[in-house]
């Protein structure tokens, strides 16, 4: 089953994901969404199970963290599931059957194939916040892997979800529920061998394009890798305007010109400053 966390999104944000997936895959798909009649109708029309996430007054982590709790509960309630793909939604399109060939274990995917963890400022920042300087530095030479696409046997995926949540809960809650801790927790879990996982090179089952799109091209409406191959799953294609336009033409007239990066200006500065201060205050448990 393909699982994606899409709260706060409208049809325009999930259309390319859903339409491209349904062109190559007829199996189970579930998206975690908010209560939006237009979105729910769209998902029902494409045989996508909508799991409505209810608002909560309790402590609510960032969606990048909350998704792993939702996935774990979903998998636990479906003992018949064999394999799952836990994936981002807004910046993912499909070009082939995502479970072919069938994974033999957990697979995680390199997102920065030309460098190591130490060269990725975002990864190291959140790894230090989660685990401290000493443990982060011990992983500095490891490859950068991405929490946005993970595939494998359902039971092992559920175990990884629990591990990511557990590792995220170790530091103060402002860190454990914050943006980026999913990446750091995954790096710790895999880097220290807390769970067996196959670290897959980029441009195989998953192509994670990001900002380094050199050599990536288009042919017959497909996104082609630098080696000339075509990956079944393409992640972070939205960083390249040419690819966004091609996906709009093929899958979604409503696709935004570029994925929104969140609020800017004073609002963004205030939010980032508040989060930074909160991470440094004593944590009352």
């Amino acid at each position: 089953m393909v699982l994606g966390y899409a709260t706060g999104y409208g049809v325009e944000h999930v259309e390319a994901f859903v339409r491209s997936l349904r062109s190559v895959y007829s199996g189970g798909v579930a998206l975690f969404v908010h209560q939006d009649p237009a979105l729910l109708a769209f998902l029902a029309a494409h045989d996508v199970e909508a799991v409505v996430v209810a608002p909560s007054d309790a402590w609510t982590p960032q969606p990048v963290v909350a998704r792993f709790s939702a996935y774990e509960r979903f998998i636990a309630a479906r003992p018949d599931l064999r394999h799952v793909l836990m994936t981002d939604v807004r910046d993912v399109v499909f070009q082939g059957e995502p479970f072919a060939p069938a994974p033999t274990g957990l697979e995680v995917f390199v997102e920065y194939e030309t460098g190591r963890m130490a060269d990725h400022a975002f990864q190291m920042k959140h790894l230090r916040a989660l685990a401290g300087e000493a443990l982060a530095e011990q992983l500095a030479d490891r490859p950068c892997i991405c929490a946005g696409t993970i595939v494998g046997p359902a039971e092992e995926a559920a175990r990884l979800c629990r591990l990511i949540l557990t590792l995220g809960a170790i530091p103060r809650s402002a860190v454990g529920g914050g943006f980026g801790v999913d990446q750091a927790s995954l790096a710790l879990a895999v880097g220290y061998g807390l769970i067996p996982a196959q670290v897959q090179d980029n441009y195989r089952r998953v192509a994670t394009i990001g900002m380094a799109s050199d050599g990536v091209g288009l042919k017959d409406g497909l996104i082609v890798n630098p080696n000339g191959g075509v990956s079944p799953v393409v992640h972070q294609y939205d960083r390249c305007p040419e690819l966004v336009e091609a996906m709009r033409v093929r899958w979604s007239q409503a696709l935004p010109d570029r994925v929104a990066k969140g609020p800017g200006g004073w609002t963004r500065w205030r939010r980032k400053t508040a989060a930074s201060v909160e991470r440094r205050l004593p944590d009352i448990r």
Side-chain angles (χ1 to χ4, degrees), residues 112-255:
Y112 183 41
E113 69 274 9
T114 60
R116 55 188 186 132
M117 191 85 69
D119 303 320
H120 200 295
F122 176 88
Q123 290 263 18
M124 290 302 295
K125 170 186 174 182
H126 292 286
L127 195 53
R128 291 186 182 104
L130 179 66
E133 184 72 30
L135 290 179
E137 286 302 320
Q138 289 183 33
L139 297 180
D141 287 330
R142 299 297 181 92
C144 292
I145 55 178
C146 183
T149 51
I150 301 169
V151 68
E155 186 175 338
E156 294 180 38
R159 181 184 167 206
L160 177 61
C161 289
R162 294 191 293 269
L163 185 54
I164 287 174
L165 293 168
T166 299
L167 290 170
I170 291 174
R172 62 184 68 250
S173 58
V175 173
F179 187 79
V181 76
D182 57 323
Q183 293 280 96
S185 294
L186 180 64
L188 284 177
V190 175
Y192 280 103
L194 304 181
I195 190 168
Q198 305 164 22
V199 179
Q200 300 285 2
D201 290 338
N202 203 2
Y203 301 119
R204 296 180 64 180
R205 186 189 302 271
V206 174
T208 303
I209 296 173
M211 301 303 294
S213 58
D214 291 347
V216 175
L218 289 163
K219 183 178 181 180
D220 300 327
L222 296 176
I223 297 172
V224 181
N225 298 330
N227 61 8
V230 174
S231 293
V233 184
V234 180
H235 183 209
Q236 297 180 358
Y237 73 92
D238 63 291
R239 276 63 163 178
C240 180
E242 181 184 6
L243 301 183
V244 171
E245 180 59 28
M247 295 306 100
R248 176 191 289 109
V249 169
R250 185 162 193 189
W251 300 120
S252 172
Q253 294 300 315
L255 189 66

Side-chain angles (χ1 to χ4, degrees), residues 91-108:
D91 59 355
V92 169
V93 291
F94 295 86
Q95 307 187 130
E97 223 280 10
F99 296 106
T104 58
L106 275 178
E107 295 180 11
V108 296

Side-chain angles (χ1 to χ4, degrees), residues 16-63:
F17 178 97
V18 170
R19 291 189 188 279
S20 65
L21 178 58
R22 278 299 180 225
S23 74
V24 295
Y25 172 72
S26 60
V29 184
L31 294 187
F32 295 79
V33 298
H34 64 290
Q35 187 71 43
D36 178 336
L39 177 61
L40 296 179
F42 172 79
L43 296 180
H46 291 84
D47 193 26
V48 174
E49 181 176 350
V51 183
V52 176
V53 178
S56 174
D57 294 329
W59 177 71
T60 52
Q62 287 278 346

